[in-house]
Amino acid sequence: MFTDFGIQKSTNFLIFGFFPDFWIFYWFLDFLRYLWKFNKICCFFLLFDVFLHFVLIFLKIDLRSQLGRNFDISEMLPMVKWIAAFHATFMTHPITDLWEHGGYWDHVKRNPKSDAGWHAPKTDLEKELVKHAAQLHAKVSSCKFNVLIHGDPKIENFCFSPDQKTAAGLDYQFVGHGPGVKDLYYLITSCCNDENVIEKIIAAYFGYLREFLPNFAHFSALEAEWRALWPFVVADYERFLLGRYYTHYKRTEYSTLICKTALEKL
């Protein structure tokens, strides 16, 4: 993949990442062909050759970054719609040579052996999550309906149109295979912990996904599978958080409750 050196915000531009090799840059341009369908508000870019490296700069975007605040459903829907469109696009146009498991927190990439300073579990629930880490990972990663997921769709990685009604995602460092609800839950953790709103967001996501896949014959089976995976997606991410960021604000009463459900279903 490419080297992502972080989002640098200014009033007029945003440096997205640089590509150390031309073939990686060429691959990413091919990737952008698909994104163009629904990502027009952030796909205006300039290309620079800096010491044989390639830089993407996106022009005139609006970033939102209000960590820990509960967004209402109207503020979240543009991001949810974008995620659904992303999943639908790459369900019908699969791309290879990406992460086997999208995201950065799965059991294979992030565990006590790979991360220094890993926190030990304290409660019985936490110990059970750690004990069953491999099983949780297997549940999430072995679903029948795998798509390409963004892998890091937090609130900070979205930009918005001036009227705030359209959103588009940035930062494709962890794009890979997985169930769509893995992206959806990760977005939710960055800007909402209201259980009632979460249920509405899940329903809205599947509504958008159905809209973007009008001819997909197995949609009902896909929705049933991904809804059934929800507790395991929550528990898998919670397992990562308690080890890497024990006191993180994303660890909530909601996530604790859903983790208990996941462990009961294993």
Side-chain angles (χ1 to χ4, degrees), residues 37-264:
K37 292 181 180 180
F38 56 90
N39 205 23
K40 290 184 176 64
I41 70 169
C42 77
C43 273
F44 295 97
F45 55 87
L46 298 176
L47 308 180
F48 287 83
D49 187 346
V50 183
F51 302 109
L52 299 181
H53 295 98
F54 297 86
V55 179
L56 292 186
I57 298 182
F58 292 93
L59 300 178
K60 294 188 181 298
I61 65 172
D62 175 30
L63 290 174
R64 232 181 244 178
S65 183
Q66 302 177 52
L67 300 182
R69 180 170 84 81
N70 260 330
F71 284 72
D72 63 38
I73 190 167
S74 63
E75 293 175 300
M76 292 186 65
L77 284 180
M79 296 179 285
V80 174
K81 186 174 184 179
W82 184 89
I83 288 175
F86 184 92
H87 296 159
T89 296
F90 294 108
M91 182 174 290
T92 56
H93 297 88
I95 295 179
T96 57
D97 300 324
L98 293 167
W99 291 106
E100 181 181 0
H101 309 296
Y104 62 85
W105 61 89
D106 61 75
H107 177 59
V108 175
K109 296 190 190 79
R110 309 300 293 271
N111 56 63
K113 294 181 180 179
S114 66
D115 286 351
W118 197 265
H119 296 279
K122 297 178 182 179
T123 68
D124 289 342
L125 178 65
E126 292 168 358
K127 292 175 183 177
E128 286 297 301
L129 288 174
V130 172
K131 177 182 177 181
H132 296 288
Q135 289 175 267
L136 292 170
H137 172 69
K139 279 281 190 181
V140 173
S141 60
S142 62
C143 61
K144 177 181 178 181
F145 296 102
N146 262 321
V147 295
L148 286 188
I149 64 173
H150 178 280
D152 195 10
K154 56 190 174 184
I155 183 71
E156 306 97 295
N157 283 342
F158 280 90
C159 56
F160 301 82
S161 60
D163 62 5
Q164 304 293 300
K165 293 181 179 180
T166 306
L170 301 169
D171 193 350
Y172 301 95
Q173 188 175 2
F174 293 102
V175 173
H177 300 275
V181 286
K182 188 173 179 179
D183 268 349
L184 183 63
Y185 180 65
Y186 185 76
L187 168 64
I188 287 171
T189 63
S190 71
C191 52
C192 180
N193 60 22
D194 186 321
E195 183 175 355
N196 293 325
V197 173
I198 291 173
E199 293 304 317
K200 293 177 182 177
I201 289 297
I202 295 172
Y205 167 77
F206 283 111
Y208 288 135
L209 192 62
R210 184 183 291 273
E211 176 185 336
F212 293 128
L213 292 170
N215 300 316
F216 186 64
H218 306 292
F219 187 87
S220 295
L222 177 150
E223 180 174 357
E225 181 187 53
W226 286 4
R227 282 185 177 274
L229 284 176
W230 185 260
F232 304 110
V233 168
V234 173
D236 189 46
Y237 188 53
E238 185 81 0
R239 187 272 322 167
F240 163 72
L241 285 178
L242 71 89
R244 193 69 183 86
Y245 306 105
Y246 190 83
T247 59
H248 204 287
Y249 73 87
K250 291 184 177 183
R251 300 189 64 202
T252 64
E253 292 183 6
Y254 173 81
S255 65
T256 298
L257 178 64
I258 301 301
C259 284
K260 292 178 180 178
T261 300
L263 290 171
E264 290 171 358

